[in-house]
Amino acid sequence: MTVPDSQHSDSRLTNLIAQGTGEILKGIRGVGLLRGRELGEAGDDLAQNWIARVLAQHRPDDGFLSEEAADNSERLDKERVWIVDPLDGTKEFATGRQDWAVHVALVENGVPTHAAVGLPDLGVVFKSSDVRHVSGPLSGRIALSRNRPPEVAQFVADKLDFEAVGVGSAGAKAMHVLLGDYDAYIHAGGQYEWDQAAPVGVSIAAGLHASRLDGSELRYNNADTYIPDLLICRPELAEDILAACAEYLEQHGSFDGLAGK
């Protein structure tokens, strides 16, 4: 029987998991023995294995949901669930880009209470326990998916006279909003809870707005882990962006269209 280790608070454990996972992934890539798909799969597997072992030792009674592990419906009966993506942006990681991330969130009763997003190539872990968003001049840019750019994001960008720019992982996009490099991150076309829980937890703690594109609240640890869309933005832009999203929805009937079709 595993005896829980209460040495670390939830906040510290969240942050250490994100930091440690990033170090593991940088080590795997840094020695240069694997490339491409093999490198990405090794990163996913090794990071997942380490996180699972850490939580089994330190929080054995909590639920667990990860992109890289089979789902266990027992989590639905638990108030505390760890939702992680050990390597968000596998393609970016495997091809030497910097816009990949590590997501770790503790969700309690559907809400991220402790969250960390690591951007290992930048040497930083953004922590819900100690974070504020940059509130200087607007950048005039909106971050969106490089691989599946949603038409609604370009629609909003045109309405606000902003530039829409493709960025890698969900975590990287959200954290660049926090840093002030972009004013909003708009996604449509589908994500899963592990894509969102940690970036949303950190973003809300930093004072940013986070919601669905229709303005509804984000809740996690659901039976169906699919979430169709996401908005993270500077709080002063939320009303205008949501109004533009509502206009787009009225015209098109859904947020699913891809830009550049």
Side-chain angles (χ1 to χ4, degrees), residues 16-98:
L16 287 175
I17 291 173
Q19 178 184 341
T21 304
E23 294 299 323
I24 290 169
L25 291 167
K26 286 196 297 181
I28 295 168
R29 192 175 67 176
V31 295
L33 294 176
L34 293 174
R35 294 194 300 265
R37 182 175 178 178
E38 290 297 324
L39 173 60
E41 290 181 353
D44 283 331
D45 292 345
L46 290 168
Q48 166 64 32
N49 184 276
W50 183 75
I51 293 172
R53 288 174 179 271
V54 168
L55 290 175
Q57 177 171 317
H58 290 269
R59 298 294 188 273
D61 295 329
D62 291 351
F64 184 61
L65 175 65
S66 170
E67 180 178 17
E68 304 303 329
D71 194 3
N72 185 339
S73 61
E74 291 181 3
R75 66 178 171 81
L76 298 174
D77 298 322
K78 295 181 180 292
E79 294 182 357
R80 294 165 48 94
V81 179
W82 294 83
I83 300 181
V84 307
D85 189 345
L87 174 50
D88 180 57
T90 303
K91 182 184 296 184
E92 286 77 13
F93 169 78
T95 55
R97 293 177 59 95
Q98 292 188 324

Side-chain angles (χ1 to χ4, degrees), residues 217-235:
E217 183 183 10
L218 294 157
R219 302 285 295 186
Y220 300 102
N221 192 35
N222 301 294
D224 183 356
T225 60
Y226 179 81
I227 304 177
D229 48 66
L230 172 67
L231 167 64
I232 294 175
C233 68
R234 298 257 300 245

Side-chain angles (χ1 to χ4, degrees), residues 47-231:
Q48 166 64 32
N49 184 276
W50 183 75
I51 293 172
R53 288 174 179 271
V54 168
L55 290 175
Q57 177 171 317
H58 290 269
R59 298 294 188 273
D61 295 329
D62 291 351
F64 184 61
L65 175 65
S66 170
E67 180 178 17
E68 304 303 329
D71 194 3
N72 185 339
S73 61
E74 291 181 3
R75 66 178 171 81
L76 298 174
D77 298 322
K78 295 181 180 292
E79 294 182 357
R80 294 165 48 94
V81 179
W82 294 83
I83 300 181
V84 307
D85 189 345
L87 174 50
D88 180 57
T90 303
K91 182 184 296 184
E92 286 77 13
F93 169 78
T95 55
R97 293 177 59 95
Q98 292 188 324
D99 48 351
W100 55 280
V102 175
H103 297 179
V104 183
L106 173 60
V107 169
E108 299 185 70
N109 297 311
V111 177
T113 53
H114 301 282
V117 174
L119 299 183
D121 277 345
L122 301 184
V124 63
V125 176
F126 295 92
K127 312 164 186 176
S128 61
S129 57
D130 181 23
V131 66
R132 289 191 303 174
H133 75 276
V134 173
S135 57
L138 296 176
S139 70
R141 303 199 299 173
I142 292 175
L144 70 163
S145 170
R146 289 193 309 115
N147 301 318
R148 292 174 56 82
E151 192 176 75
V152 62
Q154 186 62 61
F155 181 88
V156 173
D158 291 343
K159 282 284 181 182
L160 272 60
D161 196 23
F162 281 9
E163 179 186 6
V165 182
V167 183
S169 77
K173 287 188 276 285
M175 295 306 100
H176 281 297
V177 175
L178 187 152
L179 290 170
D181 300 323
Y182 299 85
D183 301 318
Y185 163 33
I186 296 176
H187 182 82
Q191 290 178 326
Y192 292 90
E193 292 192 7
W194 48 77
D195 296 311
Q196 293 190 5
V200 165
V202 173
S203 296
I204 290 174
L208 295 172
H209 169 91
S211 70
R212 296 279 305 277
L213 292 184
D214 63 3
S216 58
E217 183 183 10
L218 294 157
R219 302 285 295 186
Y220 300 102
N221 192 35
N222 301 294
D224 183 356
T225 60
Y226 179 81
I227 304 177
D229 48 66
L230 172 67
L231 167 64

Side-chain angles (χ1 to χ4, degrees), residues 238-251:
E239 184 176 348
D240 289 342
I241 291 176
L242 290 172
C245 287
E247 182 179 345
Y248 178 91
L249 184 61
E250 184 176 356
Q251 293 179 13

